[in-house]
Amino acid sequence: VQLQASGGGMVQTGGSLRLSCAASGRTISSYYMAWFRQAPGKEREFAAGIRWSDGVTSYADSVKGRFTVSKDNAMNTVYLQMSSLQPGDTAVYYCAARTGVISYYLRHYPYWGQGTLVTVSS
């Protein structure tokens, strides 16, 4: 599976951005798609995810209520809509994929896209 992330940029506090992750190379109907993020000087962490088969989603507490993960079956694309952005959301955002169920651990994901930088200015 090849993953291509896009949509990062710079936004002011309180603003919104939408990230996209296009998947190719294999049927991903049985995959779990996740967004991780890595802030400067910190470890990469799970932010949000969606089970492709039924659209069930999961969020880290830090983004719950502000971020929404969704998918487009026809486009084989996962989105991360980010709202009410705060400087603490500044990070490189990565999409990742694994077969089966959700995992919050990055080592469980064999497929990764390149990161896309989100910068939130105060």
Side-chain angles (χ1 to χ4, degrees), residues 17-92:
L17 276 176
R18 189 179 78 160
L19 306 183
S20 300
C21 176
S24 62
R26 194 172 291 187
T27 302
I28 58 172
S29 59
S30 62
Y31 278 63
Y32 194 90
M33 307 294 292
W35 288 96
F36 285 77
R37 65 183 186 177
Q38 187 166 17
K42 295 189 177 181
E43 294 186 350
R44 197 174 300 186
E45 63 178 9
F46 177 90
I50 185 167
R51 190 163 59 198
W52 196 272
S53 59
D54 58 9
V56 173
T57 58
S58 183
Y59 299 92
D61 287 343
S62 58
V63 309
K64 200 172 294 183
R66 301 187 299 120
F67 289 12
T68 302
V69 59
S70 62
K71 63 182 178 73
D72 184 323
N73 289 343
M75 299 294 292
N76 254 18
T77 298
V78 174
Y79 302 99
L80 185 67
Q81 178 68 47
M82 305 183 294
S83 303
S84 301
L85 283 163
Q86 303 296 318
D89 296 314
T90 295
V92 177

Side-chain angles (χ1 to χ4, degrees), residues 79-119:
Y79 302 99
L80 185 67
Q81 178 68 47
M82 305 183 294
S83 303
S84 301
L85 283 163
Q86 303 296 318
D89 296 314
T90 295
V92 177
Y93 285 72
Y94 299 88
C95 60
R98 70 187 299 267
T99 55
V101 300
I102 184 175
S103 173
Y104 300 106
Y105 302 102
L106 60 90
R107 65 181 182 271
H108 291 167
Y109 289 81
Y111 306 106
W112 290 84
Q114 87 291 1
T116 185
L117 177 63
V118 172
T119 303

